[in-house]
């Protein structure tokens, strides 16, 4: 019969590992090496119409963070999603939207009350940042055939 052991006991039983780390570099050499940049994990956006709260205030500017595996798995056990699979995007968006105007507690009820146009915009933004890691798209001008990038998150009212 097996006995469960705790983490502390497991660590005590583990053999001592040898230090295989490279020797410390001189401070000047370490400073010369570039540091890895943390990935950009939050993206600003501007909704086409905006969320109208109970006081009648319109909230258009917000931020969405990159989704984690947990964000994608948690809605699968949500009873609302089990009853209606279309509700998945509402729950998922409520997990990753970090701010909407002055609102910092964005929950499923907030997303439910958004206009369909804004929800479609947020679904597209979610897909873009979580599959590509950015909100830029390469485009070509139909008049001059010049190639450039545009930011699809929008920088002005209703821009997308």
């Amino acid at each position: 019969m097996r006995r469960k052991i705790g983490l502390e006991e497991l660590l005590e039983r583990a053999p001592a590992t040898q230090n295989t780390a490279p020797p410390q570099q001189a401070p000047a050499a370490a400073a010369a090496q570039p540091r890895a940049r943390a990935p950009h994990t939050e993206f600003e956006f501007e909704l086409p119409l905006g969320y109208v709260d109970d006081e009648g205030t319109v909230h258009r500017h917000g931020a969405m963070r990159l989704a984690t595996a947990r964000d994608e798995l948690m809605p699968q056990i949500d009873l609302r999603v089990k009853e209606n699979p279309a509700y998945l995007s509402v729950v998922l968006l409520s997990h990753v939207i970090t701010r909407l105007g002055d609102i910092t507690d964005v929950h499923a009820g907030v997303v439910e009350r958004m206009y369909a146009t804004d929800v479609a915009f947020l679904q597209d933004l979610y897909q873009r940042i979580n599959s590509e890691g950015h909100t830029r798209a390469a485009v070509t001008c139909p008049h001059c055939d010049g190639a450039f990038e545009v930011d699809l998150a929008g920088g002005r009212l209703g821009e997308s």
Side-chain angles (χ1 to χ4, degrees):
M1 183 170 177
R2 292 186 179 179
R3 174 174 79 85
K4 290 186 179 182
I5 60 172
L7 181 60
E8 292 82 15
E9 187 176 347
L10 182 64
L11 291 174
E12 287 174 7
R13 289 183 179 186
T17 58
Q18 294 180 1
N19 186 1
T20 58
Q24 290 290 339
Q25 295 179 347
Q33 291 182 349
R35 297 184 102 190
R37 296 172 100 188
H40 185 79
T41 60
E42 190 165 276
F43 299 85
E44 300 283 326
F45 62 80
E46 188 167 341
L47 295 174
L49 298 175
Y51 168 72
V52 182
D53 65 17
D54 293 335
E55 287 78 39
T57 305
V58 178
H59 303 274
R60 286 191 175 97
H61 294 79
M64 179 185 293
R65 66 173 172 76
L66 286 176
T68 63
R70 181 182 175 97
D71 293 325
E72 298 233 344
L73 293 171
M74 289 304 290
Q76 301 297 327
I77 61 171
D78 191 299
L79 293 177
R80 299 168 294 187
V81 174
K82 286 184 177 185
E83 291 174 6
N84 182 3
Y87 202 74
L88 175 81
S89 64
V90 171
V91 175
L92 191 53
L93 289 173
S94 70
H95 282 265
V96 296
I97 298 171
T98 57
R99 177 178 43 81
L100 184 58
D102 297 336
I103 303 168
T104 56
D105 179 26
V106 180
H107 51 81
V110 171
V111 178
E112 283 177 356
R113 293 181 48 208
M114 288 182 176
Y115 294 110
T117 302
D118 290 337
V119 173
F121 171 85
L122 290 169
Q123 288 171 328
D124 181 62
L125 179 64
Y126 176 91
Q127 186 65 35
R128 183 168 307 284
I129 67 174
N130 285 290
S131 64
E132 300 173 20
H134 59 79
T135 59
R136 296 177 309 279
V139 296
T140 303
C141 176
H143 300 291
C144 70
D145 287 330
F148 57 96
E149 284 188 344
V150 293
D151 187 353
L152 297 176
R156 292 183 290 157
L157 178 62
E159 190 177 78
S160 62

